[in-house]
Structures are given as structure tokens and as C-alpha cells.
Amino acid sequence: MTQEQCPHRNNVQSTEKPQVYKVGIYGWRKRCLYFLVLLLMILIVVNLALTIWILKVMNFTIDGMGHLRITERGLKLEGDSEFLQPLYAKEIQSRPGSPLFLQSSKNVSVNILNEKKQLVSQLIAGSHGVHARGKMLEVKSSAGKLLFSADDHEVVVGAERLRVMGAEGAVFSNSVETPHVRAEPFKELRLESPTRSLFMEAPKGVKIEADAGDFQATCRSDLRLESKDGEISLDARKIKLLRLPEGKPSPSGNRQTVFEVCVCPNGKLFLSQAGTGSTCQISSNLCL
């Protein structure tokens, strides 16, 4: 190569400009990126605001949430609460001085299980009534005195007085043992057996008193007073024996108003007109 050609190449290289390559995101890609970053920032701010609002509304604190507080003794719940699933707790109590309400649209059931998960006691309060199931039922006063007790063998009423307010009184299918039967003041006491017999027995005697009224014994068939080892005493100012049969009039034909009471060997009583002597033999046919 001659020397004349070398300067020409140098001039060509010097006249060419160097090429610059840009590195980055430009144009519509850059605008989309900024839009996405702005949208994420808005979502973060809205999410943070909603979180703060939820914490404020639900009353989240270090001790609990809303009306629910976590204490050393357990959970403390204030206000009305609704449980959608079974509740298992060792103890449920209200605040001091406030009542405890249990409410359900169907029923409230309390079940007691033993170690083998078998039902031993149950209390159901529903729309049809209150049902209790268990081996024994006891009701005691605040002083610890037994008021009512019931089991498979007996029912015990420990109150000083048992009052029956029903219009038909009390009906007992079997025997009743009590030391005292008394009606309320100014009320009548009536002992009745409509279709069977009525027995009153006591080893030391039966005493019937009516201090301010009458005593009446009514029966459809026979009324029998029997004393095996003692006597029957009728102690009153007046003793009336109504509707006794009358014997034949005296042979004299005089109608008298004075009669004597005659007793037959079988215990039957009848009236006979009084005379100078006994006239019971005249009407002895009434003893048959």
C-alpha cells in the first residue's frame, strides 16, 4: 500500500460517529410500570386503612376482642352472645350482681356424663316443658333444709306445710302417711273415695275435730263405727237420730210424742211409744 492511500483511510474513520445504545424502559412500558406501582401503593393504603378500621370496630386490644376479654381465670364475655356450636366449659357464671340468661329458640339441654361418656343426669327445658332425668332430685332451702326429695323408692316433702291449690284437691292412688291433715282457714276439708273404700288407721287413735263448724260423714251404703277393745262415746248436748223406724202404737190407742229407743240383738235401732213399761217387745218384728 502506498503512502497516498493511508491518509484516505484515516480520513474515512475519523468522519464516522460512534453509536450509543440506551439501557432501560422507555415509552409506554415506563408509563405502565409507573401505573402499576401507583396502583399497588393505593391498594396498600386502602388495605392498611381497612385493617385499622376493622381493629377499631372489633375493638381489638391486648386483653381481647370486643366484649371478649382474656383474664387469668379464663374468658370474660360481656353482653349478649350467640353460640352456633356446642360450648364446653368447666364453669359459667355471670358478673357479680347481674343475672345469667340462657336463651334458645328450641330448647336448653344440660347433660352430665360419667367417665365412660355415659349419660347419668339430664335437664331439658323446651317448648313442651321441663324434663329432668337422674337417680335423685333434691330441693333445699338457702339454709340447707331439705324441702323436696324424690327417687325410685319414695318422695319426701320436708316443708312444714304442703298446700294443694287445685279445685279437685289431691288424688292419691295408694296409701298416704301423714301426722296431720288440715284445711285452710275458712275452708272445708273433704276426704272422699268416689269408687272405693276410705280407711283411716293409727296405732294410737284417730282424732277428728271441727272447732268452728260441723263434722259430716256421708255414705251411700252403711256407715259403721266399730271399737274392738274399747267403747264408742257420743258426747254432746243433743244427739239426734233421724228417720228411725217407729214400732206399733200402744194398745191404748193414744198417740204419744214420747218414745223409747229400742236396740235389737243385731244392733238395729227403732222407736217405740213409751208406756208404763217397756214397749219394745210389741215391735220386735222390726229387728228382722
Side-chain angles (χ1 to χ4, degrees):
M1 184 179 295
T2 61
Q3 294 180 356
E4 294 179 356
Q5 294 177 353
C6 289
H8 178 71
R9 178 176 291 183
N10 293 332
N11 293 331
V12 174
Q13 293 178 353
S14 61
T15 57
E16 293 180 359
K17 296 180 180 180
Q19 296 182 358
V20 179
Y21 297 95
K22 297 180 180 181
V23 179
I25 301 175
Y26 300 94
W28 63 273
R29 295 183 180 87
K30 184 176 182 180
R31 289 192 295 271
C32 290
L33 179 61
Y34 287 161
F35 177 75
L36 291 176
V37 173
L38 180 61
L39 182 60
L40 289 177
M41 292 179 62
I42 294 174
L43 292 177
I44 292 173
V45 173
V46 173
N47 191 10
L48 182 60
L50 290 176
T51 303
I52 296 175
W53 178 75
I54 292 174
L55 293 176
K56 184 65 177 178
V57 172
M58 299 300 294
N59 194 13
F60 276 96
T61 60
I62 301 177
D63 298 331
M65 176 188 68
H67 297 290
L68 183 62
R69 294 289 182 268
I70 301 176
T71 61
E72 296 179 355
R73 299 181 58 184
L75 297 178
K76 181 179 179 181
L77 189 61
E78 299 178 354
D80 298 335
S81 302
E82 182 178 356
F83 298 95
L84 303 179
Q85 298 295 332
L87 175 63
Y88 300 92
K90 181 179 179 180
E91 181 181 356
I92 299 176
Q93 63 180 3
S94 63
R95 293 184 301 174
S98 299
L100 176 63
F101 294 97
L102 299 178
Q103 183 177 357
S104 174
S105 59
K106 291 186 178 181
N107 59 50
V108 177
S109 302
V110 179
N111 298 328
I112 309 299
L113 307 179
N114 56 11
E115 298 178 353
K116 299 180 180 179
K117 303 300 181 180
Q118 296 177 351
L119 183 64
V120 293
S121 299
Q122 186 180 41
L123 178 63
I124 300 176
S127 58
H128 299 288
V130 179
H131 303 272
R133 174 185 176 185
K135 296 181 179 179
M136 186 176 183
L137 175 63
E138 286 188 354
V139 179
K140 294 184 178 181
S141 63
S142 57
K145 181 181 178 180
L146 181 64
L147 300 179
F148 181 83
S149 175
D151 55 15
D152 295 338
H153 302 287
E154 63 179 0
V155 176
V156 179
V157 179
E160 296 181 357
R161 179 182 300 177
L162 175 61
R163 180 178 297 179
V164 180
M165 303 297 295
E168 298 296 331
V171 179
F172 302 96
S173 59
N174 294 317
S175 61
V176 179
E177 297 181 7
T178 176
H180 193 186
V181 178
R182 183 179 62 182
E184 292 184 353
F186 308 105
K187 299 291 183 178
E188 295 182 356
L189 175 62
R190 186 175 182 179
L191 302 178
E192 181 182 4
S193 178
T195 59
R196 294 295 184 269
S197 303
L198 177 63
F199 295 94
M200 290 187 295
E201 299 179 355
K204 292 186 178 180
V206 178
K207 186 178 182 181
I208 301 176
E209 293 183 357
D211 296 333
D214 300 333
F215 169 73
Q216 183 179 358
T218 305
C219 64
R220 183 174 298 275
S221 296
D222 298 333
L223 177 63
R224 183 178 180 181
L225 301 177
E226 180 181 357
S227 177
K228 295 180 179 180
D229 297 331
E231 62 183 9
I232 298 176
S233 300
L234 301 177
D235 186 4
R237 293 181 180 180
K238 295 181 180 181
I239 298 178
K240 296 182 180 181
L241 301 177
L242 304 178
R243 295 190 299 178
L244 288 178
E246 295 184 10
K248 296 180 180 181
S250 60
S252 61
N254 298 329
R255 188 68 178 178
Q256 299 182 12
T257 58
V258 179
F259 296 87
E260 62 176 328
V261 179
C262 303
V263 182
C264 298
N266 57 4
K268 186 177 181 180
L269 302 179
F270 65 92
L271 298 179
S272 178
Q273 290 186 2
T276 57
S278 178
T279 59
C280 293
Q281 295 294 332
I282 301 176
S283 304
S284 61
N285 59 337
L286 295 176
C287 295
L288 300 178

